[in-house]
Every structure is written in structure tokens, then in C-alpha cells.
Amino acid sequence: MNKFFSTGVLVAVAALAVSACSSSEPGPDGTSASGDPIVIGAQAPLLGATAYPQSGYGLEAAEYYVNEVLGGIGGRPIDIDVCSGDGSPETSITCANGFVSKQVPLVIDAIDQSMGAGVPILAAAQIPIIGTLAGSFVADQAEYGQAFFFTGPVAFGSLSTLSLLNMMGKKSASLAVNESPTSHAYVDDLILPIAENLDIDVKVQYPPAAGANLNVVAATQIADNPDVAGVISLPEDACTGLFQALRRQGFDGTILTASCAEFIDQLGSDSAGAIMQPRLWVPRASELAPESVQEELSAFEESMNAVGYGAEISSRSLYAFASVANIANILNAAENSNVTAESVTETFKKVANFESFAGPSVTCDGNQWPEIATACNGQAIFFEVQESGDLAPVNEEGYIDLDVSLLPSS
């Protein structure tokens, strides 16, 4: 496992029968991966005030899954150079130049908000960016073939949040997201226009990434007695702290926790009734998931335990892991053993009706989202926390279609 700048981790996963996903035996043909490793790049937000170390844990678990369980890609092991993003464009540029010099065939975007600064460099080198979802608008809006994301674009999160509130009959919400230029653009360009289209009154707070007084944030949120309080996007510990502060201050309405999940372990039955909107099926919802998804989630948990991160299972670690699994499944299905940037790009352009890891069916034809060619799907899934700590899908069928006509025209 190579270390590139800071934290090292691996990525990609060989896909074969779903039954292999939950097996503890080496490789689908009984052999472990061998030969020269396929070196893959990944940029993950592992440093700085808005770090998500869970992304690194998921990538490391995926390395184990690929090389020790699935037998690699085309029988070869994979090795990921992980560049640790710190939120700065300078670091992202350094990461991208490093990937180009190493001639990696693809780069995983592990939801790093600063990834955008490196996109032009990778595009010029024709190295595709691949992930569960983009970390920045710039990656989202890359030209067709420059990036592929298995779930909807950045705009997807805003539309799914407001669609959920509308579906639940909520007419007011007060939500928090860390202070950053990207956050303000997301709220001003997407959240507020969509809310206006749905006649939902939304107020937003922008606490700093470090040292936020969550009691003050909670008091601000509940001052106007909204139907819903909570999170657009915050780190796991801030999600938990805000949830606790809201309940301490007497808010008994619906709390939206976005893709946060660790608060359930810490708060137990007190977390019941919270609404989550991850991009994928998650382990706490496994019992109500399709059988194939149950097997995939079991493989994810087993792999996290195998590398010592069983206590760090979260949406972020799952997203990183799923990115790897999907890449390997797709490349193996195409029998693509000569893994180059060009062959990866051409293979992904042909992906159609592919059942993604713990996620929706994806088609990477550039037509799955208005004016965003990088999105391979545009469906959403929502969960409600139960007294037991398990999650139940808000919609019995799981994934639902979103009304993209609600998006702002520009």
C-alpha cells in the first residue's frame, strides 16, 4: 500500500458473482491477486479543519476486499496512492500533478471539496475522475468522459433534501453547513431557489469548521420554531453535537442529519425519528434492503473489521468503499485487464443499467441529469431512524425519482 503525501490507502474491486462479495475465501477462482499492481490515484479529505478520515478507512478496507477477497482486477492486485486533501486548492494541484507524473489510469474523488483545482490538470492528461459523488462543482461539471459519478451531482443533494421535506409536508426548515465559499454557493444557487419553487421557508447557518458553538447554532435554528432543524452537511462529531443541542433546548420536531450516521451509536434510542439522506443503502438498513444489497453491505462490514476499522463504519467510509467496488466490477465485467486511462474512459462510457454497490442502477451515457454529463444516476433514497437504531426507508421501494424541473434554470 503506497503512501502519497500523507495517508496511504488502496482502491478498486474485482466484481464477480454477488455471492463472492460476502465470501472470506481468496478470489473468485480460489487465488489471490498476483503480478504487478495496478496503481490508482485517490484524493480524500484527510487533513485540515474539514477532514473526513472515514474516507481513508473505507479506501483501506476496499484494498483488503479487492486483493484478499476478490482477487484483484483481472487477477492483478490494486495499489492506491492516496493524496491527502487539506481543503486548499494548492494541495489539490499538487495531488493532480503527482497523479499525472505517475500515469495513473484513474483518480478516485473521495468527496474532497478542494478537488476542483486539480480537475483541469487531470483533464489535460485525459485521466478520468471516478467516485460515488463529486466533492466539488468543478468535478461535477467536467465534460463527458472526464469524470463519472455513480450517484447524482452536487445539485442532487439540494434537490433531494427539499424534495424530502416537500414529501413529508414540511413548510419550514433551519439547517447548518460549514462556512466556506462552496457552501454559500450551494445554498444561494441551489437550496434557496428550489425551496422557493416548493414554497418552503429555509434558513441556513454557517458555523466554522472548527470550534463552532453548537448550542448557539441550535438556539438560532429553533428561534422561529421550524418544522425541521438539522444539517445540510457537517462532520460527524458536529452532527452529533448539534442533534444533542437541539434536543436539550426542547426541539421536538424533525431533525435532518443528511448523511451523518455516527450519532445513532452515541445517542441510542434518543436518535429515533431523525431523517437521513445518504446516497446508498447503509448497514443499519440492511434488513430491509434487497438480498443482493444485504450481501454487499455484509462484505463492506467484514472488510472494515478486517483492517481494524469496524468501529468507524459511516456513510463516508461506505462511499469510498463503494467507489472501489464499482470500478472493479465494471472493469472486470468488461474483461479490461489492460487498465489505462483511455481504456477506463471508454469502458465507463459503455456502462448501462449496472447495479451499483449498495446503490441504484447506473448508466454513464451523459444523459442522466440535466446539463451534468458526469452523473450516472439521479435517484434518491431516505431513511428514518427507528427506536432500535435501525433505519427504515421513508419510501418502501427504496430509491425514488426526483423532479428535476424544480432545479433553477441556470
Side-chain angles (χ1 to χ4, degrees):
M1 182 167 63
N2 286 337
K3 292 187 178 181
F4 183 19
F5 303 117
S6 251
T7 301
V9 178
L10 293 189
V11 172
V13 169
L16 281 99
V18 170
S19 60
C21 294
S22 58
S23 169
S24 60
E25 297 300 319
D29 58 359
T31 60
S32 297
S34 62
D36 293 335
I38 299 169
V39 179
I40 295 171
Q43 184 173 327
L46 305 182
L47 301 174
T50 57
Y52 286 91
Q54 297 87 356
S55 297
Y57 306 151
L59 292 173
E60 188 171 349
E63 169 186 342
Y64 168 85
Y65 181 56
V66 175
N67 294 337
E68 303 301 329
V69 178
L70 297 179
I73 294 178
R76 294 170 59 190
I78 53 91
D79 184 7
I80 297 188
D81 274 323
V82 175
C83 187
S84 298
D86 60 6
S88 73
E90 292 80 11
T91 296
S92 183
I93 289 170
T94 300
C95 291
N97 284 324
F99 295 140
V100 172
S101 69
K102 290 174 179 286
Q103 298 182 323
V104 299
L106 63 93
V107 172
I108 301 285
D109 179 355
I111 325 177
D112 193 318
Q113 287 190 346
S114 64
M115 183 88 184
V119 170
I121 297 169
L122 296 174
Q126 298 184 323
I127 296 174
I129 300 167
I130 302 173
T132 297
L133 65 152
S136 73
F137 286 107
V138 178
D140 244 357
Q141 296 171 356
E143 293 184 10
Y144 182 56
Q146 292 180 355
F148 303 91
F149 297 106
F150 299 113
T151 63
V154 172
F156 166 95
S158 57
L159 181 58
S160 62
T161 296
L162 276 303
S163 297
L164 171 64
L165 299 185
N166 186 58
M167 185 170 64
M168 297 175 67
K170 307 299 185 182
K171 303 306 295 182
S172 61
S174 192
L175 306 170
V177 60
N178 280 144
E179 171 65 46
S180 74
T182 301
S183 296
H184 281 275
Y186 181 74
V187 171
D188 294 343
D189 297 343
L190 292 168
I191 290 284
L192 297 182
I194 296 170
E196 184 177 358
N197 288 340
L198 290 170
D199 194 27
I200 299 174
D201 179 26
V202 174
K203 292 181 172 61
V204 179
Q205 301 78 45
Y206 299 92
N213 187 328
L214 297 174
N215 286 314
V216 172
V217 176
T220 302
Q221 288 198 345
I222 65 178
D224 295 326
N225 193 30
D227 295 333
V228 178
V231 172
I232 293 174
S233 178
L234 289 177
E236 288 281 357
D237 57 346
C239 280
T240 301
L242 180 57
F243 193 114
Q244 291 172 314
L246 287 166
R247 290 300 190 227
R248 277 198 306 268
Q249 296 182 35
F251 182 72
D252 59 2
T254 300
I255 296 180
L256 182 68
T257 63
S259 61
C260 294
E262 293 182 5
F263 71 96
I264 301 174
D265 281 331
Q266 297 186 44
L267 303 181
S269 60
D270 289 340
S271 63
I275 301 295
M276 297 174 57
Q277 53 176 103
R279 297 294 185 106
L280 308 176
W281 285 93
V282 293
R284 287 184 179 276
S286 181
E287 289 188 6
L288 297 176
E291 183 177 353
S292 61
V293 172
Q294 292 182 28
E295 294 176 354
E296 290 168 341
L297 292 174
S298 176
F300 164 63
E301 292 187 273
E302 289 173 7
S303 298
M304 289 288 285
N305 282 318
V307 296
Y309 292 122
E312 298 289 350
I313 288 173
S314 68
S315 297
R316 286 272 178 163
S317 56
L318 175 59
Y319 294 167
F321 189 98
S323 296
V324 172
N326 288 330
I327 289 167
N329 287 340
I330 289 168
L331 295 180
N332 277 316
E335 299 183 349
N336 185 355
S337 58
N338 181 29
V339 182
T340 65
E342 181 180 5
S343 70
V344 170
T345 299
E346 292 307 309
T347 297
F348 270 74
K349 284 182 176 180
K350 297 174 183 176
V351 170
N353 302 316
F354 167 74
E355 294 300 326
S356 64
F357 190 97
S361 174
V362 300
T363 296
C364 299
D365 61 359
N367 297 312
Q368 300 303 303
W369 193 271
E371 300 181 9
I372 302 291
T374 59
C376 296
N377 182 272
Q379 294 179 303
I381 192 166
F382 311 106
F383 297 99
E384 182 176 3
V385 182
Q386 308 298 295
E387 290 283 347
S388 63
D390 292 333
L391 302 179
V394 174
N395 184 287
E396 291 184 0
E397 297 179 2
Y399 282 94
I400 64 171
D401 294 322
L402 297 176
D403 181 3
V404 295
S405 70
L406 294 168
L407 291 167
S409 57
S410 60

